[in-house]
């Protein structure tokens, strides 16, 4: 059964304006920060942080709790070997399944989240 659904769209130009070490430390988990620092091109870095920000905002919408109750760093958006993104977190206590999809263009990053109850 689906517990929550969230979607978010961000303008990459707006993320570029906010980009600072403080912003990165607030948004990215330690694992994500390592991946971010290994990216070579600034445009790829911008897409990366934009996608992570959109995904975490979508998670907040899906769980109906914002940064006041959870933190961006409570969630890591990582990749399987195939490149498929997945959410790693200790936030959920009942084995909930979180599915994520992220996309971006030159101007926008968008993410869609579905949270489901744990399988019986």
């Amino acid at each position: 059964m689906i517990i929550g659904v969230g979607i978010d769209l961000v303008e990459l130009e707006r993320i570029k304006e906010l980009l600072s070490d403080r912003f990165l430390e607030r948004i990215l988990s330690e694992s994500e920060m390592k991946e971010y620092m290994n990216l070579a091109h600034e445009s790829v870095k911008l897409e990366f942080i934009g996608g992570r920000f959109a995904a975490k905002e979508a998670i907040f919408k899906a769980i109906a709790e914002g940064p006041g109750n959870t933190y961006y760093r409570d969630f890591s958006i990582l990749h399987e070997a195939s490149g498929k993104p997945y959410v790693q977190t200790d936030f959920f206590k009942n084995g909930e399944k979180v599915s994520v999809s992220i996309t971006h263009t030159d101007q926008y990053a968008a993410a869609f989240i579905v949270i489901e109850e744990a399988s019986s």
Side-chain angles (χ1 to χ4, degrees):
M1 173 188 240
I2 293 177
I3 298 171
V5 174
I7 188 169
D8 196 65
L9 174 72
V10 298
E11 290 182 66
L12 293 178
E13 192 61 36
R14 177 74 174 126
I15 297 295
K16 188 175 182 179
E17 292 170 8
L18 297 172
L19 207 52
S20 66
D21 288 343
R22 184 170 181 250
F23 180 76
L24 291 173
E25 290 169 4
R26 196 173 123 235
I27 303 302
L28 299 179
S29 69
E30 190 175 317
S31 299
E32 291 168 319
M33 185 66 86
K34 286 178 185 174
E35 188 174 346
Y36 175 83
M37 297 306 279
N38 285 325
L39 298 173
H41 296 90
E42 293 304 312
S43 62
V44 175
K45 285 184 171 186
L46 184 59
E47 291 170 355
F48 180 90
I49 187 68
R52 294 317 180 271
F53 185 80
K56 293 176 185 195
E57 285 289 317
I59 289 170
F60 294 150
K61 292 172 183 174
I63 61 177
E65 297 183 33
N69 301 306
T70 59
Y71 300 94
Y72 292 102
R73 293 175 52 104
D74 289 339
F75 306 93
S76 292
I77 314 299
L78 305 172
H79 291 99
E80 294 177 358
S82 67
K84 178 182 175 185
Y86 68 93
V87 178
Q88 183 178 65
T89 184
D90 291 329
F91 179 80
F92 299 108
K93 304 300 182 206
N94 298 315
E96 292 87 346
K97 179 184 175 193
V98 182
S99 299
V100 58
S101 183
I102 301 172
T103 190
H104 42 74
T105 67
D106 292 348
Q107 297 175 321
Y108 300 98
F112 184 75
I113 295 284
V114 176
I115 302 173
E116 300 174 85
E117 289 181 348
S119 301
S120 310

